[in-house]
Amino acid sequence: MSVWIRTQTKEDLIECNEFMITYNASNPIEYRIRGNDLIIGKYSSKEKALKVMDMIQSFIEALAKVEITSNMIVRDDNNKIINNMIIQMPLDSEV
């Protein structure tokens, strides 16, 4: 399943179906989250990057359970309306 991601810089909106954490060898305090091999977020610790990956996983799991009704309202399995179908990558300071 692919999801739409707005990058941390807010400059790109991309459809991603593969995510990974990479370590920046030239900057020892930078962990990058890549979506389809593009950098979508940079974090100061592996723990922060893993927390964001957990957020992405939760979003994908919730999205897999949604039902799109005939009037295009999207509801999850608890009948709650989902307003946002795009993940905004949080800044390092927000994690």
Side-chain angles (χ1 to χ4, degrees), residues 34-49:
R34 297 171 98 60
N36 292 3
D37 208 35
L38 299 171
I39 298 171
I40 58 176
K42 297 178 183 179
Y43 300 95
S44 60
S45 71
K46 186 176 182 179
E47 292 75 23
K48 285 185 176 189

Side-chain angles (χ1 to χ4, degrees), residues 18-80:
E18 181 179 289
F19 300 91
M20 68 182 69
I21 296 173
T22 59
Y23 176 72
N24 184 356
S26 64
N27 184 352
I29 59 166
E30 184 179 279
Y31 289 82
R32 298 171 175 174
I33 296 183
R34 297 171 98 60
N36 292 3
D37 208 35
L38 299 171
I39 298 171
I40 58 176
K42 297 178 183 179
Y43 300 95
S44 60
S45 71
K46 186 176 182 179
E47 292 75 23
K48 285 185 176 189
L50 286 169
K51 189 172 182 180
V52 174
M53 288 289 274
D54 289 343
M55 177 198 75
I56 293 169
Q57 179 180 342
S58 294
F59 181 87
I60 292 169
E61 289 170 348
L63 194 59
K65 297 178 183 177
V66 300
E67 171 191 349
I68 300 177
T69 63
S70 59
N71 58 358
M72 296 306 292
I73 294 173
V74 180
R75 297 180 184 273
D76 66 14
D77 55 345
N78 294 318
N79 208 30
K80 180 181 172 189

